[in-house]
Amino acid sequence: MPKDNINPSYYQKGICSCGKQLSTYDFVKDLAYSQGSAIKYLVRYKEKHPEMEGKLEDVKKSCWFIIAIMIKEFGMTPKDVMAFVQDLLVKEYGK
């Protein structure tokens, strides 16, 4: 099957309980741009990129949008976000 650059397979993940094939759009259509982008980069990265570097790039993009939400919607400063991430890493992974 030829590669479809208009509607690639990573746009077509999931089938709902009604049997309908769901696209990424079905999951993000009612969300704000930053929310939808964070989700879209996170759910597509494994299928979108064959190489690890591309996968990691999309996960980083998802994080970028999540950080933007924390700053713009919750009023956190970049310093607050860094402290949150540092605390989270220490709690989860130690030093």
Side-chain angles (χ1 to χ4, degrees):
M1 178 180 259
K3 183 177 177 182
D4 184 347
N5 290 327
I6 303 298
N7 191 23
S9 61
Y10 56 82
Y11 281 8
Q12 306 166 32
K13 296 300 283 181
I15 297 177
C16 79
S17 59
C18 66
K20 175 187 174 198
Q21 177 77 38
L22 298 174
S23 69
T24 305
Y25 175 76
D26 292 317
F27 295 106
V28 301
K29 66 183 176 188
D30 297 322
L31 299 177
Y33 179 78
S34 55
Q35 294 169 328
S37 294
I39 291 169
K40 119 181 138 170
Y41 281 114
L42 195 57
V43 300
R44 293 185 193 167
Y45 80 92
K46 285 185 179 180
E47 192 160 332
K48 185 177 176 188
H49 299 285
E51 73 288 342
M52 192 60 70
E53 186 177 313
K55 292 178 195 303
L56 180 58
E57 187 67 29
D58 272 6
V59 171
K60 287 179 179 180
K61 288 177 185 178
S62 179
C63 289
W64 186 92
F65 281 105
I66 292 169
I67 290 168
I69 292 167
M70 294 168 80
I71 291 170
K72 292 176 183 174
E73 295 186 27
F74 294 95
M76 293 178 75
T77 66
K79 187 176 181 179
D80 294 336
V81 174
M82 290 296 294
F84 164 75
V85 171
Q86 186 174 12
D87 289 346
L88 182 66
L89 290 172
V90 168
K91 286 177 186 172
E92 290 297 318
Y93 302 103
K95 299 179 185 179

